[in-house]
Amino acid sequence: MKPFTTVSAVAAPLDMINVDTDQVIPARFLGRPVDERYPDYLFHDLRFDADGAERPDFVLNRPGFRDASLLVTDRNFGCGSSREHAVTALVEAGFRAVIAPSFGDIFYANSLKNGFLPVRLPDEVCRRLRGMLHDGPGGEITVDLESQTVTAPDQTTWSFDIDPFQKRKVLHGVDDIDDTLGEIDAIRAFEREYDARMTWLTTRRTR
Amino acid sequence: MMPRTMFDKIWDQHVILEREGNTLLHVDFHFCHDGSFNAFAKLAARGLPVRRPDRMVGTPDHYVPTTSRSIDDLASDDMKRVFRAFERNFTSHGITHFPIGDPRQGIIHVVGPEQGLTQPGLVIVCGDSHTSTHGAVGAIAFGIGASEVTHVMATQALWQKRPGTMRITIDGNRPDGVTGKDAILAIIARIGAVGGTGYAVEYAGSLIRAFSMEERFTVCNMSIEAGARCGMIAPDDTTFDWLKGRPFAPAGEQWDAALGFWKQVPGDPGAGFDREERLDGAALAPMVTWGTSPEQAVAVTGAVPDPDAEDDDERRAALVAAVDYMGLEPGQAMGDVIVDRVFIGSCTNSRIEDLRAAAAVVRGRRVRVSHAFVSPGSGLVKRQAEEEGLDRVFTEAGFEWRESACSMCVGMNGDVARPGERTASTSNRNFRGRQGPGVRTHLASPATAAAAAVHGRFVDIRGL
């Protein structure tokens, strides 16, 4: 997995609550291969109208935000469907992190598995950051995982929380499956005891 | 020992090891659907086998057409590729699966319980957010993304941080016309779309206990719409009676052993929860959503809220955006909302009882919307409904009677409405564009959606 250490980049304010993963990538694109068209699927129906023309009001179509690699948004970003394609679309479009007061649980987990950082900051901080970005399009934000800080365009810095176990994995790009298979003896020992007790569990028809 | 909640008891039994406050959790069953091709490809890229094929089961549902049972009829090459991959993956790994054409095929969250694989005391995962459905029998069941699906395939385990526990209690007798769908919409309207975030939710109280298994599945199914990691209901005789005799449920001596274990699954008396919520069951009413989040729900006798009543600028802007997208007026009565299409189906409401409830409303009436159809939750649900004559009730009223798939809940199989159209849907998400670009979705129970089909607008089923 690609590690995440620190990113300083243009950030875009997305003033929407409950941005579900159907908004991030509509379902009709989920069967498509990951290729050079993938960045266009990101926020597709928010960015483009029915004829494929850009909606001028959408933040990523506005001057100063077109090259953004960070997003600052509102509560419950990434709620809804478990589709990991949402993270893939963000990553393929060049995004590295998203800052919000809260996230959909599954989106949060999916992000960390892809070295894409979901950063939780309080509601009022996200609001202030979005305000700064609106006032100064093209403003850069720095997200630093080691120090767990976000630095605003006006150099104000806030700390964010992340589980230390997850932080270490993302910071060093630890491969989860390799890590877990390193515990295979413990897994086997658990299963021997467990399966001996739960004898009726199988997806294979036995009668 | 301290009294423990049901969630904590099940969790503790699945701990393989702990590291830095995170748990490597054993997974009992991994349910799979046709969207699993990414995870299988990731596994293949690493040259890893499926570690426990005896703990996996699959059926295609997301991309499956409802108008045909032939892969040749699929709308696009992308979809044909998905189906070929499904068949190849499950066959080559030796995993039990119910392909298109098998009468057991259906929506995985209907099929798992129907086959008796969804059992109390288990940890169940699936690459789909509505996996919370299976918690209705007293299991920890939650949705995961493709990377975690790959991880479960490779290891039969998952790294998890223990969530908080929340109990939502609804006491009181069941009011007229109220179903499990109305209860869960009322819960989400109360606690909000982030109200359950970070929690495992247990539903309790006399109204929940009075719910059938079908209704309990509906309630737990939509836990994710409140942000919860999972939703669960303690197993009782309703659960055990429902499980008995199902194909993959234990039988004979194994049934006795399992039943002994299942009876120990409910939480200990006096166990404390991190958060408690209570709703008055007697105050519940048939519900319908007005907006673009499941939290935006009101009684069917209610009205679209007025954004001007909201003091906060950003909150007001969000309400205005939802009202605009939905093409409604602030203060408009839900009973005045004209519906174009009706969809009865999805992992939320496509079980036999749902179809019976909808058919009871439809019987002897005519559809007054431009299009209405039913997609039963599985081939077996479809067969049973046909044995009961429900298919004729629907078709004589003007509904289409289709095959089983996720269908217009997610629209991935091409079952979508047209831009600007308004649907009454028994599914779980009224997100913008969920049922097709520009489509306006209203969530409701099967009876309320059926009533909208035959009246052309939302009506209070209590007055029918």
Side-chain angles (χ1 to χ4, degrees):
Chain A
M1 185 184 78
K2 191 177 170 186
F4 184 104
T5 51
T6 187
V7 169
S8 296
V10 173
L14 183 59
D15 303 327
M16 292 173 72
I17 59 167
N18 297 329
V19 176
D20 56 79
T21 52
D22 278 81
Q23 308 310 308
V24 182
I25 179 167
R28 62 186 184 279
F29 299 120
L30 301 189
R32 305 264 181 98
V34 180
D35 58 21
E36 70 285 353
R37 293 175 299 175
Y38 226 80
D40 280 347
Y41 307 155
L42 178 70
F43 299 124
H44 187 278
D45 296 345
L46 295 171
R47 274 165 72 199
F48 304 105
D49 65 19
D51 300 322
E54 283 189 359
R55 297 179 192 273
D57 290 347
F58 188 66
V59 64
L60 296 182
N61 292 333
R62 300 206 315 248
F65 302 121
R66 300 183 76 92
D67 297 323
S69 293
L70 299 171
L71 276 180
V72 185
T73 184
D74 208 335
R75 70 178 155 94
N76 208 21
F77 185 83
C79 62
S81 157
S82 60
R83 60 188 70 165
E84 199 159 308
H85 312 69
V87 180
T88 306
L90 284 159
V91 169
E92 290 297 311
F95 284 89
R96 301 294 315 279
V98 56
I99 301 168
S102 54
F103 292 93
D105 219 23
I106 307 174
F107 176 85
Y108 190 89
N110 289 344
S111 296
L112 294 175
K113 306 290 179 197
N114 288 277
F116 177 84
L117 198 66
V119 177
R120 288 193 196 99
L121 282 177
D123 198 44
E124 62 276 12
V125 174
C126 291
R127 215 176 256 227
R128 223 176 116 186
L129 282 170
R130 291 197 304 273
M132 274 185 228
L133 297 170
H134 281 298
D135 292 344
E140 289 200 0
I141 285 178
T142 298
V143 178
D144 186 74
L145 180 55
E146 179 67 59
S147 64
Q148 294 179 219
T149 55
V150 168
T151 304
D154 71 355
Q155 300 308 306
T156 312
T157 294
W158 290 278
S159 297
F160 63 89
D161 284 333
I162 182 169
D163 180 71
F165 180 74
Q166 292 174 333
K167 175 182 174 179
R168 185 175 56 75
K169 285 196 170 185
V170 177
L171 203 53
H172 301 291
V174 173
D175 183 278
D176 244 1
I177 292 176
D178 287 347
D179 187 32
T180 306
L181 288 176
E183 304 282 5
I184 193 70
D185 291 344
I187 293 172
R188 288 202 180 111
F190 175 93
E191 288 179 353
R192 263 194 303 279
E193 191 275 329
Y194 187 88
D195 291 356
R197 238 178 331 122
M198 307 284 280
T199 49
W200 59 88
L201 291 185
T202 180
T203 55
R204 291 193 170 141
R205 212 192 264 271
T206 52
R207 61 187 171 88
Chain B
M1 191 186 250
M2 282 268 288
R4 290 178 301 163
T5 65
M6 171 166 61
F7 177 85
D8 288 329
K9 286 167 75 171
I10 300 173
W11 177 282
D12 291 347
Q13 282 166 352
H14 289 82
V15 176
I16 298 168
L17 58 89
E18 290 183 337
R19 232 202 259 163
E20 298 171 62
N22 281 252
T23 302
L24 186 61
L25 208 61
H26 173 67
V27 172
D28 290 295
F29 284 146
H30 176 194
F31 294 162
C32 227
H33 56 80
D34 45 350
S36 56
F37 55 89
N38 280 330
F40 275 109
K42 286 181 193 216
L43 195 73
R46 306 175 66 117
L48 288 170
V50 171
R51 211 184 137 248
R52 296 291 303 266
D54 62 320
R55 297 303 179 90
M56 265 183 83
V57 68
T59 189
D61 53 16
H62 281 68
Y63 293 86
V64 174
T66 50
T67 49
S68 164
R69 295 282 88 175
S70 170
I71 292 177
D72 295 335
D73 292 340
L74 289 179
S76 72
D77 290 342
D78 284 337
M79 282 160 72
K80 287 177 187 167
R81 194 163 52 239
V82 165
F83 277 97
R84 281 195 289 270
F86 176 84
E87 207 38 61
R88 189 174 58 242
N89 287 327
F90 281 76
T91 304
S92 67
H93 289 282
I95 300 162
T96 299
H97 62 291
F98 312 125
I100 294 180
D102 187 310
R104 297 167 296 179
Q105 177 272 335
I107 305 170
I108 187 69
H109 306 315
V110 175
V111 171
E114 184 174 75
Q115 289 296 319
L117 287 159
T118 299
Q119 298 170 16
L122 305 186
V123 169
I124 297 169
V125 299
C126 172
D128 187 90
S129 58
H130 291 108
T131 307
S132 56
T133 309
H134 308 276
V137 301
I140 296 177
F142 54 94
I144 54 179
S147 292
E148 290 192 321
V149 166
T150 313
H151 188 276
V152 174
M153 286 173 175
T155 67
Q156 201 59 26
L158 205 53
W159 287 104
Q160 288 284 300
K161 195 165 172 67
R162 189 192 284 252
T165 55
M166 183 190 318
R167 178 163 59 186
I168 299 177
T169 305
I170 312 183
D171 282 317
N173 292 327
R174 181 199 294 264
D176 201 24
V178 167
T179 66
K181 182 62 161 289
D182 304 299
I184 188 62
L185 286 174
I187 287 168
I188 300 165
R190 162 77 77 83
I191 71 172
V194 289
T197 303
Y199 292 101
V201 173
E202 180 173 340
Y203 303 96
S206 60
L207 185 63
I208 298 288
R209 296 250 74 83
F211 281 161
S212 65
M213 272 323 297
E214 280 92 339
E215 288 183 291
R216 295 181 188 189
F217 287 123
T218 302
V219 169
C220 289
N221 171 275
M222 289 189 70
S223 302
I224 183 72
E225 312 311 335
R229 175 73 58 83
C230 62
M232 57 208 308
I233 295 171
D236 57 13
D237 287 341
T238 300
T239 320
F240 309 140
D241 291 348
W242 197 88
L243 268 162
K244 190 148 197 174
R246 294 191 178 268
F248 290 86
E253 285 177 13
Q254 295 245 300
W255 170 267
D256 296 336
L259 188 61
F261 167 70
W262 294 343
K263 287 185 171 172
Q264 302 303 311
V265 168
D268 301 324
F273 289 79
D274 298 319
R275 193 176 146 196
E276 296 257 16
E277 289 285 342
R278 270 182 186 280
L279 274 76
D280 178 8
L284 295 182
M287 299 287 286
V288 60
T289 62
W290 63 265
T292 55
S293 165
E295 69 184 0
Q296 293 168 325
V298 291
V300 70
T301 50
V304 178
D306 183 356
D308 284 342
E310 173 65 57
D311 291 333
D312 180 277
D313 287 347
E314 287 198 353
R315 306 269 174 238
R316 187 166 57 247
L319 286 176
V320 167
V323 171
D324 280 355
Y325 179 83
M326 293 300 290
L328 300 167
E329 296 294 328
Q332 185 176 355
M334 291 314 295
D336 291 339
V337 175
I338 306 295
V339 172
D340 301 305
R341 285 182 191 247
V342 172
F343 169 60
I344 293 175
S346 87
C347 59
T348 310
N349 280 126
S350 64
R351 297 174 182 85
I352 189 66
E353 194 179 81
D354 299 320
L355 305 191
R356 288 179 191 141
V361 172
V362 165
R363 192 181 298 273
R365 295 186 167 101
R366 286 291 304 170
V367 162
R368 290 172 68 180
V369 292
S370 68
H371 187 240
F373 75 102
V374 182
S375 175
S378 72
L380 295 179
V381 170
K382 181 168 186 267
R383 181 188 287 175
Q384 187 177 346
E386 288 169 355
E387 284 167 9
E388 296 180 17
L390 303 184
D391 57 324
R392 288 193 306 281
V393 173
F394 286 114
T395 54
E396 284 167 10
F399 274 82
E400 266 190 76
W401 179 251
R402 293 202 185 165
E403 303 289 345
S404 180
C406 297
S407 183
M408 211 164 84
C409 174
V410 64
M412 284 165 73
N413 68 343
D415 290 348
V416 290
R418 282 194 279 272
E421 283 188 327
R422 186 180 303 287
T423 71
S425 179
T426 65
S427 56
N428 41 56
R429 289 185 174 139
N430 50 347
F431 296 164
R432 291 161 176 258
R434 172 87 173 174
Q435 297 187 306
V439 176
R440 296 150 170 169
T441 303
H442 296 270
L443 306 176
S445 74
T448 296
V454 294
H455 290 270
R457 61 185 176 84
F458 287 111
V459 294
D460 185 351
I461 54 165
R462 294 170 297 187
L464 296 182

